Amino acid sequence: MTTLDVTWARDWVKASAAVVAEHRVDLIDLDRAIGDGDHGENLDRGFTAVLRKLQEAEPETIADVFTLVAKTLMSTVGGAAGPLYGTAYLRAAKAADGQSLDAAGVADMLDAALGGIVARGKAEVGDKTMVDAWSPAVAAAKEVATSGGSAGAALAAAADAAAQGALDTEPLVARKGRASYLGQRSANHRDPGAQSTALLLRAAADVAAGGRR
Ligand SMILES: [Mg+2]
């Protein structure tokens, strides 16, 4: 797909709810190892609520879809993840203020989301947080946009980079969030927020490629 429209955005939300439900236990286990174990449960509850609201509201622009996601996650997801993802989707909504997204639009949207997460959580690359998945994802999407690739290709590259970024959090010692209280003991575990980021971006790419509805 060359550009992405509101149908993609709605289908991404549905796929996000499905993928979070599928990986709920994995995310709980990751968060149990270095956090408080609520990440899978919280995200699952959040996206279940998002799905319900999406059916009620039937938003007609990409920005409206993301705003709905942002507000719902902020009000239903506890811990750090709700405000972080909420801010990400809110910034993404502002960036996606048009009818469709090309590769540059995808890169801008992801960059805006990352900006929101950094503003909210104050984490840097290497702190073992979701920033370690978002940051390489943004860089990869920008590269595709610069080289004239499609919106779908930008999302696919972002998803690959986020997956690698999540994997790369495993050896890191956490410097932010609850995991940082563990010091060295936080090493050898994957960051749950980086993992959920990778899952959500993979869902976005799969939907753009027509592979997941
Ligand atoms: Mg937690």
Side-chain angles (χ1 to χ4, degrees):
M1 207 181 285
T2 315
T3 61
L4 303 168
D5 59 11
V6 67
T7 304
W8 162 80
R10 284 196 210 142
D11 287 343
W12 179 23
V13 172
K14 291 177 200 160
S16 297
V19 88
V20 164
E22 261 170 52
H23 293 269
R24 188 179 143 269
V25 174
D26 305 339
L27 294 172
I28 288 171
D29 288 346
L30 289 178
D31 197 29
R32 193 167 280 153
I34 58 168
D36 55 2
D38 65 353
H39 192 57
E41 199 65 56
N42 280 344
L43 270 192
D44 189 33
R45 184 176 47 236
F47 273 101
T48 301
V50 168
L51 209 53
R52 201 169 47 236
K53 293 218 168 151
L54 186 74
Q55 277 153 2
E56 290 164 9
E58 296 183 6
E60 285 177 5
T61 66
I62 296 172
D64 288 347
V65 173
F66 290 168
T67 302
L68 180 148
V69 175
K71 289 185 175 167
T72 309
L73 291 183
M74 280 179 180
S75 62
T76 57
V77 180
L84 290 171
Y85 274 125
T87 309
Y89 280 98
L90 209 55
R91 298 281 185 98
K94 270 186 199 148
D97 195 17
Q99 286 307 308
S100 66
L101 295 173
D102 59 6
V106 166
D108 287 349
M109 170 196 77
L110 296 177
D111 200 10
L114 170 63
I117 290 162
V118 169
R120 186 93 209 187
K122 313 277 183 239
E124 293 171 12
V125 169
D127 284 349
K128 198 182 182 97
T129 72
M130 62 170 69
V131 170
D132 291 317
W134 278 98
S135 186
V138 170
K142 281 183 178 171
E143 212 171 290
V144 171
T146 306
S147 60
S150 68
L155 279 179
D160 287 346
Q164 186 61 49
L167 200 63
D168 291 345
T169 64
E170 288 183 5
L172 297 176
V173 172
R175 291 190 299 233
K176 274 281 182 304
R178 196 178 282 263
S180 66
Y181 307 159
L182 295 176
Q184 290 293 332
R185 281 185 294 135
S186 65
N188 302 316
H189 297 284
R190 191 176 308 186
D191 179 67
Q195 181 64 13
S196 60
T197 296
L199 292 172
L200 294 175
L201 294 183
R202 177 67 64 202
D206 285 351
V207 169
R212 186 156 199 153
R213 295 280 157 190

